[in-house]
Amino acid sequence: EVQLVESGGGSVQTGGSLRLSCAASGSTFDDYAIGWFRQAPGQEREAVSCTRNSDGSTYYADSAKGRFAISVDNARNTVHLQMNSLKPEDTAVYFCAALRGEPSSIPYDYDYWGQGTQVTVSS
């Protein structure tokens, strides 16, 4: 199993940037898929970006393509989500999660979750 600790959330204006970090302990990411999810008030949790470090494969939600980038720092066992050109509709609590096995964009498939970090984008 892995333990996940998130950081990097905050409040920005429209068009600003944030870099979220998810530090893992207990295991490396070699055998896991890592996903970033978000949940806005009154909405279901949805996948934003996912990666499998073993082969470098990535997934981006349509809303994130061209603006967000997921990356892995193997030396620090940390996954980052660089978010640029932020919009008010990006406002949500963002979670990182780990899944042992094949990558998935379904929250129910993930076994381990971080505590969540609030991202607020004002117009």
Side-chain angles (χ1 to χ4, degrees):
E1 66 177 46
V2 297
Q3 296 80 47
L4 307 174
V5 180
E6 303 172 357
S7 61
S11 298
V12 298
Q13 298 182 33
T14 297
S17 299
L18 286 172
R19 191 190 193 197
L20 305 183
S21 299
C22 178
S25 62
S27 180
T28 69
F29 289 132
D30 289 351
D31 298 324
Y32 290 84
I34 303 296
W36 285 97
F37 297 79
R38 67 186 182 189
Q39 187 168 21
Q43 300 184 17
E44 296 184 355
R45 191 169 298 183
E46 63 177 354
V48 178
S49 181
C50 307
T51 187
R52 183 168 61 188
N53 195 41
S54 60
D55 62 6
S57 61
T58 58
Y59 161 85
Y60 293 96
D62 288 341
S63 61
K65 291 179 180 177
R67 300 189 299 125
F68 295 1
I70 192 169
S71 62
V72 178
D73 184 341
N74 288 305
R76 295 173 173 81
N77 212 30
T78 300
V79 177
H80 301 285
L81 183 68
Q82 179 68 43
M83 305 189 296
N84 300 321
S85 301
L86 285 164
K87 307 173 182 178
E89 51 262 44
D90 295 318
T91 296
V93 177
Y94 283 70
F95 302 86
C96 65
L99 165 68
R100 185 173 183 177
E102 295 297 315
S104 173
S105 61
I106 303 174
Y108 182 82
D109 289 342
Y110 283 76
D111 300 305
Y112 309 104
W113 292 85
Q115 77 283 359
T117 184
Q118 177 71 46
V119 171
T120 302
V121 185
S122 60
S123 60

